[in-house]
Amino acid sequence: MTTLPQHPPEGTGRLRPSAAVARAARTLAAAGVGPARVEAELLAAYVLGVPRGRLALADDLGADDLARLDDLVRRRADREPLQHLTGRAGFRHLELAVGPGVFVPRPETELLAGWGVEQARSRPDPLVVDLCSGSGAIALAVAQELPGARVVAVERSGAALDWLRRNAAERAAAGDRPIEVVEADVTAADLLADLVGRVDVLLCNPPYVPVEVVVPPEVAGHDPTEAVFGGADGLAVIRPVITRAAALLRPDGVVGVEHDDTHGVVVPELLVTDGRFVAVAEHLDLTGRPRYATASRRADGRHPPAGAAWQTDSS
C-alpha cells in the first residue's frame, strides 16, 4: 500500500497551496477583486513557479513564499493589475511581457486578432499591419499563427515600444517569423507611405474610451492614458485611422478596428461615409456588446450606391 505524503498543518511555518489560496482569495474578495479564487490561484502558482493547473501538486509554501504571496495579494487588493504583478499577459496562444508603460491586452481583442488571422489566411504572402500595437499582441499573434505573413507593427509611445520590441525579440527567438516594428503616429497623414495600396489586412486597437467615462482603478491607475482615452467622443484616433486605412489597403484589402461598446453604430457609419469601403460589418464580443467594425476596400475605386447599409455579426 502506498502512503501519500502528509502536508504540514498550518502553524508550522509552511502552508498547503490550497490553504494559501483560500486565504488569498478571502482577502481579494473583501477588496472587491474578482474572480477572487482564480486570481489567488494564479498568484500562488506564480510564487511557486508552477502552472495553475498543477498547483494542487506543488510543494507547500514556506515562510518566504508566504511573505511574497501576501505582498502580491496586498498589491492586487490595492488594484494593481494582475498582469503587472506577474509580468505576463496571455493573448491567444502567446504569453507576453507587460508592465508599467504599456496597455495590458484584453481578451476581447483576441476576437479582432482572430478575425484578422482568418482574413489573412486566404491570401498568398499577406501583408498585415497592426496600428497602435502596444505590447505587440495582435501583430505577434498573427505572425505566430501565419508564418507566411509579413507583419508590421506601428506604435508611437516610447515606453510601449520597449515592451513591443522585447516581445518581438522573445517570439523571434522562439522561432516565429520576426515582425517589423515602426515608431510612428498612426494619425499622421503620411503614415507608412511606402505601403500605400499594398496592405492586405489592417488591424487596429486604438485608444477609444471617451474622456468622461470612469474606468476601473486597474485602468485609471496603471494603463497609459494615451492608450485608453480617445478624445471627447472616443473617436479622435479612429477617424484618421479609417482615412489612412483606405489609402494603405490594396483593392479588396480589409480593415478591422476595435472600438468602445458605445460606438456600435458610429464606427460602421464612419466606414460607410468614407465611401471607399464595402461589406461594412459590426461584430459583437462574447458578452454581446459591440466590439469591432470591419470593412473591405472597394476594388473599383467608386463610391457605394446611396443608402448603402452595414450589418451586425456576432463573434
Side-chain angles (χ1 to χ4, degrees), residues 18-185:
S18 60
V21 165
R23 186 174 75 176
R26 288 193 295 269
T27 301
L28 295 177
V33 174
R37 177 80 186 189
V38 172
E39 296 213 6
E41 290 176 351
L42 289 168
L43 288 174
Y46 172 67
V47 167
L48 289 171
V50 299
R52 178 187 167 206
R54 297 189 60 82
L55 190 58
L57 303 176
D59 293 336
D60 297 328
L61 287 85
D64 290 345
D65 294 328
L66 289 170
R68 186 179 176 205
L69 178 60
D70 287 346
D71 179 62
L72 291 172
V73 169
R74 175 190 58 77
R75 291 165 61 187
R76 184 67 189 100
D78 288 339
R79 308 309 284 269
E80 190 170 342
L82 175 69
Q83 297 86 350
H84 282 201
L85 299 178
T86 65
R88 310 296 290 185
F91 188 84
R92 289 181 70 82
H93 309 296
L94 301 174
E95 285 287 330
L96 302 169
V98 295
V102 71
F103 184 80
V104 174
R106 269 46 171 191
E108 53 265 32
T109 305
E110 295 184 26
L111 298 174
L112 174 62
W115 177 87
V117 167
E118 291 308 308
Q119 293 296 316
R121 195 186 302 280
S122 62
R123 299 164 186 258
D125 302 318
L127 171 57
V128 180
V129 168
D130 173 29
L131 302 183
C132 303
S133 192
S135 66
I138 292 177
L140 293 168
V142 173
Q144 182 190 56
E145 296 175 47
L146 296 177
R150 175 189 174 192
V151 181
V152 178
V154 180
E155 176 56 53
R156 181 184 70 174
S157 162
L161 279 163
D162 288 342
W163 292 103
L164 171 54
R165 292 186 173 115
R166 173 179 170 179
N167 285 319
E170 285 186 5
R171 292 314 311 164
D176 293 351
R177 177 172 176 175
I179 66 170
E180 301 169 36
V181 176
V182 176
E183 181 177 2
D185 185 338

Side-chain angles (χ1 to χ4, degrees), residues 254-271:
V254 293
V255 58
V257 181
E258 187 170 324
H259 56 66
D260 190 68
D261 56 15
T262 62
H263 293 154
V265 173
V266 65
V267 172
E269 288 183 345
L270 287 172
L271 287 160

Side-chain angles (χ1 to χ4, degrees), residues 207-232:
Y208 56 64
V209 178
V211 292
E212 75 277 5
V213 173
V214 177
V215 295
E218 289 87 346
V219 177
H222 300 279
D223 277 327
T225 298
E226 66 176 342
V228 175
F229 296 101

